[in-house]
């Protein structure tokens, strides 16, 4: 196998020339103008070695990738009681779909759908005011990444607040079923700010290290979540992290992964590496086109798919 450094820089070079880059999301106005030519990758190995290439230091809107961090915190709050209000099954539907909520009594299929993530934010409001919940999420991500520069892009949060009609519909619908316990504006306020976290690939891969390392912060050795919880979050990322594209992602990449409409993907190779890729053009399912391709090539060349026998 070529060195990991070579593999990562080769992939970035290949992605720079890739012709089919997908379509940049434009339903959140500040995302619409992002250059589809961008591509970044950060691979952080278990021993802390970092491999960065392309636009790995450029901030982007992490959007739904943030749902992993919100879920981690809400599980800390509610423990397994969270699963009375959110399911753990793939939905086979788009990230913003409402169809299953009626027949399933306002219980979202999983915490990575918009509806599920809004319930997760509502759970965080059990003990915290909205501004405190947002601050807690930011604090968590900064602590995991070891980087105080991570911030919430208020322009993105405001744009989502102004045009998030589907999310408002989802929240109101769940409130009608009694599955939101706080006013919809408050749960949505936390959700929109969480999604508006701006991070670069290096920061995002750093923030995900606890999921690669059995729940421990690899730099400090301190337990962030139990090993069992880290394993379970990874399982949810594998089965639900790409919405109706989750099966395809598992087939092609074979790693727990969480995508966002900003074009970022956090992928976890347990025991090996935490990986972030970013390319803003999306495929038909709303997941980063080149991000998935880059991860597919990375696992082909490293043998890191969880379905590969250890090399
Ligand atoms: O709520 C929304 O629509 C966005 N804040 C997040 C959607 C998202 O990232 C879906 N992922 N691919």
């Amino acid at each position: 196998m070529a060195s990991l450094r070579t593999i990562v820089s080769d992939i970035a070079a290949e992605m720079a020339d890739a012709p089919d880059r997908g379509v940049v999301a434009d339903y959140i106005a500040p995302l619409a103008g992002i250059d589809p030519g961008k591509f970044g990758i950060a691979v952080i190995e278990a021993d802390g070695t970092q491999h960065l290439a392309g636009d790995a230091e450029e901030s982007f809107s992490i959007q739904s990738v943030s749902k992993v961090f919100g879920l981690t915190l809400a599980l800390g709050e509610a423990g397994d009681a969270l699963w009375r209000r959110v399911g753990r099954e793939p939905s086979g539907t788009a990230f913003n779909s409402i169809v299953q909520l009626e027949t399933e009594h306002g219980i979202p299929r999983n915490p990575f759908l918009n509806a599920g993530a809004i319930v997760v934010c509502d759970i965080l409001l059990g003990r915290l005011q909205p501004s405190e919940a947002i601050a807690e999420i930011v604090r968590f991500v900064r602590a995991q990444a070891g980087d105080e520069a991570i911030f919430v892009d208020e322009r993105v949060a405001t744009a989502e607040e102004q045009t998030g009609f589907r999310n408002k519909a989802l929240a109101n619908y769940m409130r009608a079923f009694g599955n939101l316990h706080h006013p919809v504006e408050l749960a949505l306020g936390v959700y929109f700010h969480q999604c508006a976290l701006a991070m670069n690939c290096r920061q995002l891969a750093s923030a995900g290290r606890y999921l690669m390392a059995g729940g421990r912060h690899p730099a400090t050795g301190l337990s962030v979540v139990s090993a069992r919880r880290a394993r379970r979050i990874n399982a949810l990322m594998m089965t639900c992290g790409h919405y109706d594209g989750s099966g395809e992602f598992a087939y092609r990449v074979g790693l727990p992964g969480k995508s966002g409409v900003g074009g970022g993907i956090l992928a976890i190779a347990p025991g090996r590496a935490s990986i972030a890729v970013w390319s803003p053009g999306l495929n038909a399912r709303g997941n980063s086109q080149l991000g998935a391709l880059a991860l597919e090539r990375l696992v082909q060349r490293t043998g890191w798919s969880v379905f590969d026998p250890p090399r």
Side-chain angles (χ1 to χ4, degrees):
M1 177 174 118
S3 76
L4 191 52
R5 196 162 68 97
T6 305
I7 292 173
V8 170
S9 64
D10 283 357
I11 289 172
E14 291 158 20
M15 295 304 119
D17 295 334
D20 182 7
R21 309 188 77 87
V23 179
V24 177
D26 60 3
Y27 76 100
I28 301 169
L31 302 188
I34 312 281
D35 175 3
K38 299 284 180 187
F39 174 83
I41 180 166
V43 178
I44 304 186
E45 293 185 83
D47 67 1
T49 311
Q50 300 190 3
H51 307 277
L52 311 183
D55 301 304
E57 300 272 10
E58 184 164 333
S59 285
F60 59 91
S61 189
I62 73 163
Q63 290 294 321
S64 288
V65 183
S66 68
K67 293 168 179 173
V68 173
F69 306 122
L71 174 66
T72 301
L73 287 172
L75 283 168
E77 281 299 314
D80 282 345
L82 181 144
W83 302 119
R84 289 192 218 120
R85 296 175 58 189
V86 187
R88 300 195 292 260
E89 292 296 341
S91 67
T93 63
F95 62 91
N96 55 9
S97 176
I98 202 166
V99 290
Q100 287 163 341
L101 279 181
E102 178 164 25
T103 49
E104 299 180 4
H105 312 290
I107 309 285
R109 276 282 176 101
N110 67 67
F112 296 146
L113 294 164
N114 287 9
I118 293 167
V119 173
V120 165
C121 289
D122 190 64
I123 289 169
L124 293 177
L125 291 176
R127 189 177 55 83
L128 302 167
Q129 296 299 313
S131 59
E132 295 170 337
I134 295 162
E136 183 115 332
I137 295 166
V138 174
R139 207 165 28 242
F140 178 78
V141 172
R142 284 178 174 171
Q144 296 317 312
D147 193 331
E148 292 295 310
I150 294 167
F151 65 100
V152 171
D153 186 338
E154 287 293 340
R155 285 173 322 132
V156 174
T158 303
E160 287 214 63
E161 211 293 315
Q162 287 168 350
T163 58
F165 304 113
R166 288 185 82 111
N167 287 324
K168 291 176 189 177
L170 292 167
N172 279 294
Y173 205 51
M174 292 190 292
R175 180 106 162 122
F177 281 102
N179 198 21
L180 274 203
H181 298 172
H182 300 88
V184 292
E185 311 74 56
L186 302 190
L188 286 168
V190 177
Y191 172 75
F192 291 142
H193 281 80
Q194 167 188 291
C195 289
L197 274 166
M199 295 170 76
N200 61 38
C201 289
R202 180 177 46 73
Q203 292 167 330
L204 187 55
S206 302
R209 286 174 299 173
Y210 68 102
L211 294 170
M212 171 247 305
R216 288 188 183 277
H217 190 300
T220 64
L222 294 176
S223 173
V224 180
V225 295
S226 66
R228 181 170 76 162
R229 182 160 290 163
R231 188 177 71 238
R232 289 173 163 179
I233 293 171
N234 280 326
L236 290 163
M237 289 169 70
M238 174 74 90
T239 52
C240 310
H242 282 70
Y243 315 104
D244 46 346
S246 298
E248 179 73 7
F249 187 81
Y251 178 84
R252 287 175 53 197
V253 177
L255 294 178
K258 182 73 209 78
S259 68
V261 286
I265 302 175
L266 171 65
I268 304 297
R272 293 182 156 126
S274 176
I275 306 148
V277 287
W278 170 56
S279 180
L282 307 179
N283 63 21
R285 301 262 161 91
N287 302 312
S288 176
Q289 170 94 1
L290 292 190
L293 181 62
L295 288 168
E296 185 176 12
R297 293 191 180 176
L298 181 69
V299 297
Q300 275 168 3
R301 294 172 198 180
T302 56
W304 279 355
S305 162
V306 301
F307 304 112
D308 279 320
R311 280 190 186 171

